[in-house]
Amino acid sequence: MKDIFFLHGLPRAGNTLLSSIMNQNPDVGVSANSVCADMMGQLFMLKHTDIFKNFPDHKSFDNVAKSVFENYYKDWNYKYIVDRAPWGYPINLKFLKKTRSNIKIIVLVRDVIEVLGSFIAWSEREPTSFVNRYSAKTIEEKCDMLMNKNGVIVKELIGIKHLFDHQPKEIYHLVEYNDFVEYPRKTIDGIYEFLGIPKFKHSFTNL
């Protein structure tokens, strides 16, 4: 049985860096952006259909819902999985609580202005960046596009605020981007302690 943990991180806040370090450990697998949250959402939508309401077998439904992660990660050869998605987002966390116990979420945060600045710098270095695929041309227009209420930044921010305002501190562990960059070893050790899994001797050079 694999232990499943969760990662909720603002974009440009060290998600890739965290994954590259943690994945050095052969017992740990950190996912890229995961579809599991969307899968869970689609699954629970079935409870609102006429077919389910006609024969509401909640126990059988819950058997499937509670096995989503185990089945999805069945062929991942790791003891510990870290699934990355906006798990702090209210509806995602609601579904997570219906199917999991002992939830632990790593939360990566960074000043929003720095996040936007990183996106803009990336768009200037890389012409194929998604930031350049829309009609936005100026820096201001690109920032407006990035901060769209339905966009990933706002969704992640809503999830972070929901965790901070309404959830017990025991279920999440805050990682500040600038602290992570300056003190990567200390940050990773803190994550291991939060998850309650054995530490690993990581390399922090040539990442």
Side-chain angles (χ1 to χ4, degrees):
M1 181 71 72
K2 298 177 176 66
D3 287 333
I4 310 292
F5 305 110
F6 305 95
L7 172 60
H8 179 116
L10 278 172
R12 316 302 291 179
N15 294 278
T16 303
L17 178 61
L18 176 66
S19 299
S20 67
I21 294 174
M22 294 292 290
N23 284 338
Q24 294 172 11
N25 185 339
D27 287 337
V28 176
V30 182
S31 78
N33 282 313
S34 168
V35 298
C36 286
D38 290 332
M39 289 173 63
M40 198 76 74
Q42 292 294 320
L43 186 60
F44 274 92
M45 283 180 63
L46 294 174
K47 282 197 168 187
H48 300 287
T49 62
D50 291 338
I51 295 175
F52 183 83
K53 291 178 180 179
N54 184 56
F55 185 72
D57 186 349
H58 291 278
K59 182 174 176 55
S60 296
F61 179 94
D62 290 345
N63 288 337
V64 174
K66 290 178 180 179
S67 66
V68 166
F69 293 102
E70 282 71 22
N71 283 314
Y72 187 83
Y73 289 110
K74 180 180 179 180
D75 296 325
W76 284 49
N77 190 28
Y78 304 101
K79 292 180 181 178
Y80 312 107
I81 303 294
V82 181
D83 183 276
R84 176 186 170 190
W87 287 112
Y89 197 71
I91 192 66
N92 291 342
L93 188 57
K94 177 182 177 181
F95 295 151
L96 197 59
K97 286 185 171 184
K98 287 179 178 293
T99 58
R100 312 293 300 181
S101 60
N102 192 31
I103 297 168
K104 293 188 177 183
I105 307 173
I106 304 163
V107 181
L108 298 181
V109 297
R110 188 179 186 183
D111 187 272
V112 174
I113 297 299
E114 292 183 10
V115 170
L116 292 172
S118 180
F119 267 123
I120 297 303
W122 175 45
S123 73
E124 291 173 348
R125 292 194 309 270
E126 180 53 64
T128 60
S129 161
F130 81 91
V131 183
N132 297 322
R133 295 176 193 168
Y134 302 92
S135 58
K137 301 300 180 185
T138 67
I139 290 176
E140 290 78 9
E141 289 173 343
K142 290 179 179 180
C143 287
D144 284 343
M145 180 270 294
L146 288 165
M147 292 302 295
N148 181 285
K149 66 178 182 178
N150 296 315
V152 63
I153 294 178
V154 171
K155 192 170 187 177
E156 298 286 0
L157 286 172
I158 291 172
I160 292 169
K161 184 174 180 3
H162 180 66
L163 286 170
F164 289 178
D165 290 350
H166 303 290
Q167 304 303 317
K169 292 182 178 180
E170 291 77 18
I171 77 167
Y172 65 85
H173 177 72
L174 186 66
V175 175
E176 293 270 4
Y177 173 79
N178 292 318
D179 291 341
F180 185 19
V181 172
E182 188 169 358
Y183 307 108
R185 190 183 307 277
K186 180 180 179 181
T187 299
I188 294 297
D189 284 348
I191 290 173
Y192 274 105
E193 291 171 6
F194 168 66
L195 299 180
I197 64 177
K199 293 181 181 178
F200 180 80
K201 188 175 181 179
H202 289 277
S203 171
F204 296 96
T205 59
N206 300 318
L207 296 172

